[in-house]
Amino acid sequence: MQQLTDLVAQARADADGTGVSPSRVIPIHPVLPLSAAEGEVARILQICNACRYCEGFCAVFPAMTRRLEFGKADTHYLANLCHNCGACLHACQYAPPHEFAVNVPRAMAEVRLQTYHDYAWPSVMGALYRKAGLTVALALAGGLALFLVLAMWMSGSLLHEPLAGNFYAIFPHNFLAAVFGAVSLFIVLALGMGSQRFWRDVSPTGSYPRPEVQGVRAAASAEALHDVLRLKYLGGGHGEGCNNEDDRFTLWRRRFHHFTFYGFMLCFASTSVATLYHYFFDLHAPYALNSLPVLLGTAGGIGLLIGPIGLLWLNLRRDPAHGDQAQKPMDRGFIALLFLTSATGLALLALRDTSLMGLLLAIHLGVVMALFITLPYGKFAHGIFRSAALLKFTIEKRLASQIRTGAE
């Protein structure tokens, strides 16, 4: 009886932090109510945690086994760690029509969309995630392009004498730099604030002592970056690829993501090099076809043609059970803007020495502006949140599990 009394007293002391050293205090975190989507993820993961057949498939399942219950932050973390490869759905003995109705890809996709909404900055803009569809993307791109075309028409003519590729004869450099510079700064701020809010809720320092996390952060960051650049978990956890429309594995989803990602990065590199040329070396556009900005932009543009076309083809063919069908318009809107950005950019490059340059420039700038405006509130966000989730995973797996059962 005395032993039980002592245990109760010790539990009370641990709860309020009195009579024990700080290292003995167990932090108490508020329990936040789960949404319907989060509750479904928690229910499914409880079943998966008992089964563990898919434990070697991807990062989600090893991360899952370090938990006995799943709160709001856990569902957000694991949903963004999921790459929606579909392998677990095809392997699951409890998938529909079983009464347990376990569908990990769909449940995770629904929570991912919720996280984009919940962590958006400014918060009022979160509703745009549910509206950033194909129609909105095309309408925005068309509207902005039309505005620039009309502005050019009112100041002169839609057709002009060849200008040897001098874009700044149509729209002044300072005007373009000011407009796209301001939009770019807002994009960085919005995505940075959103990812910071997400990381604050899922960060390992909420569960592990900060010194332990700091001790493994460098190695974990290197591994996470490696996994992101390789798109490791689009290999299905076994390297054979994802499931798409049936039980067969395919690596095409990973390959088309690579074309898209590296095409985007090459275009960004082209713009960065051109900025250095302009401001630091006093070398101004237009640049020769064999110059570094043009070569990088051309390679990136080709990647952004192949990748989005392939992703759209896979998206149209994919088994509806693999995700949240309500997100299809957002996916396709982002794909369409990437493709149109590349197509109009390459057309502009090919015809820059003709009388059509001004018209093509206005259309291209309108599409690029639409892409930029929607970046923080569309499908692009999944890359930011997924990278943060991968970083947490690589940190967490280097730390001792906090689950203690039996003799442990």
Side-chain angles (χ1 to χ4, degrees):
M1 185 66 180
Q2 181 60 41
Q3 185 179 17
L4 179 59
T5 302
D6 292 342
L7 287 173
V8 171
Q10 183 63 58
R12 289 173 176 169
D14 285 346
D16 61 20
T18 61
V20 294
S21 64
S23 62
R24 291 281 308 279
V25 177
I26 301 174
I28 299 178
H29 304 290
V31 178
L32 300 176
L34 302 182
S35 67
E38 293 164 347
E40 177 65 3
V41 166
R43 179 191 75 86
I44 286 175
L45 290 179
Q46 292 283 4
I47 297 171
C48 294
N49 221 354
C51 174
R52 301 198 177 186
Y53 179 79
C54 300
E55 191 168 358
F57 277 23
C58 71
V60 170
F61 297 99
M64 172 198 72
T65 60
R66 300 174 72 93
R67 292 156 174 80
L68 295 177
E69 57 184 2
F70 303 92
K72 184 178 285 286
D74 294 314
T75 63
H76 290 181
Y77 160 52
L78 294 171
N80 282 282
L81 192 59
C82 171
H83 285 58
N84 198 27
C85 74
C88 58
L89 177 64
H90 288 263
C92 183
Q93 59 186 319
Y94 302 120
H98 192 279
E99 61 181 331
F100 288 176
V102 171
N103 187 331
V104 173
R106 176 176 292 170
M108 295 294 198
E110 291 175 355
V111 171
R112 274 198 300 278
L113 179 60
Q114 182 182 322
T115 61
Y116 307 155
H117 176 279
D118 291 351
Y119 294 109
W121 186 92
S123 299
V124 69
M125 304 294 280
L128 293 178
Y129 281 108
R130 303 185 187 278
K131 300 177 181 179
L134 178 60
T135 302
V136 171
L138 295 179
L140 182 60
L144 289 170
L146 180 60
F147 172 79
L148 292 174
V149 168
L150 290 175
M152 191 179 71
W153 177 64
M154 293 178 65
S155 64
S157 172
L158 295 182
L159 301 178
H160 52 76
E161 293 297 322
L163 299 170
N166 184 9
F167 303 151
Y168 302 138
I170 306 296
F171 295 104
H173 173 269
N174 290 341
F175 167 76
L176 295 179
V179 171
F180 283 93
V183 173
S184 299
L185 287 175
F186 176 76
I187 291 170
V188 171
L189 180 61
L191 290 173
M193 292 295 292
S195 58
Q196 189 273 334
R197 293 166 69 173
F198 174 72
W199 184 252
R200 180 188 60 201
D201 284 354
V202 307
S203 173
T205 54
S207 304
Y208 294 91
R210 186 175 295 274
E212 292 185 20
V213 174
Q214 294 295 338
V216 301
R217 185 183 291 274
S221 298
E223 181 183 352
L225 178 62
H226 180 260
D227 291 347
V228 168
L229 295 178
R230 287 180 57 228
L231 297 176
K232 174 180 177 180
Y233 293 105
L234 285 180
H238 40 63
E240 297 180 11
C242 300
N243 299 106
N244 198 64
E245 63 272 15
D246 51 35
D247 287 341
R248 292 175 298 175
F249 295 113
T250 173
L251 284 168
W252 280 114
R253 186 160 171 257
R254 182 180 183 179
R255 291 165 180 159
F256 288 136
H257 268 87
H258 270 131
F259 274 113
T260 303
F261 175 72
Y262 286 107
F264 185 89
M265 294 306 295
L266 284 170
C267 289
F268 177 76
S270 172
T271 303
S272 300
V273 171
T275 301
L276 289 174
Y277 277 14
H278 185 92
Y279 288 105
F280 291 92
F281 300 111
D282 200 29
L283 299 174
H284 304 295
Y287 300 111
L289 294 178
N290 62 350
S291 65
L292 186 57
V294 173
L295 292 175
L296 289 172
T298 302
I302 294 172
L304 281 181
L305 284 181
I306 298 173
I309 288 175
L311 290 176
L312 179 60
W313 176 66
L314 292 177
N315 186 280
L316 292 171
R317 293 165 54 89
R318 196 156 205 214
D319 188 330
H322 283 182
D324 179 13
Q325 295 302 300
Q327 296 182 40
K328 291 285 188 180
M330 180 177 70
D331 296 347
R332 293 169 185 173
F334 181 53
I335 290 172
L337 286 177
L338 288 173
F339 174 80
L340 288 174
T341 296
S342 176
T344 57
L346 291 174
L348 177 60
L349 176 64
L351 300 174
R352 68 177 185 171
D353 291 328
T354 72
S355 60
L356 293 173
M357 184 197 71
L359 181 61
L360 289 171
L361 178 61
I363 294 172
H364 177 64
L365 292 177
V367 173
V368 172
M369 183 63 73
L371 175 65
F372 275 33
I373 291 173
T374 57
L375 275 185
Y377 310 109
K379 187 65 175 181
F380 183 82
H382 84 288
I384 307 297
F385 284 71
R386 187 163 287 157
S387 297
L390 278 169
L391 176 58
K392 173 170 179 171
F393 173 69
T394 55
I395 290 174
E396 195 176 66
K397 74 178 187 178
R398 287 170 164 79
L399 303 173
S401 174
Q402 294 187 325
I403 296 178
R404 295 289 183 267
T405 59
E408 293 180 324

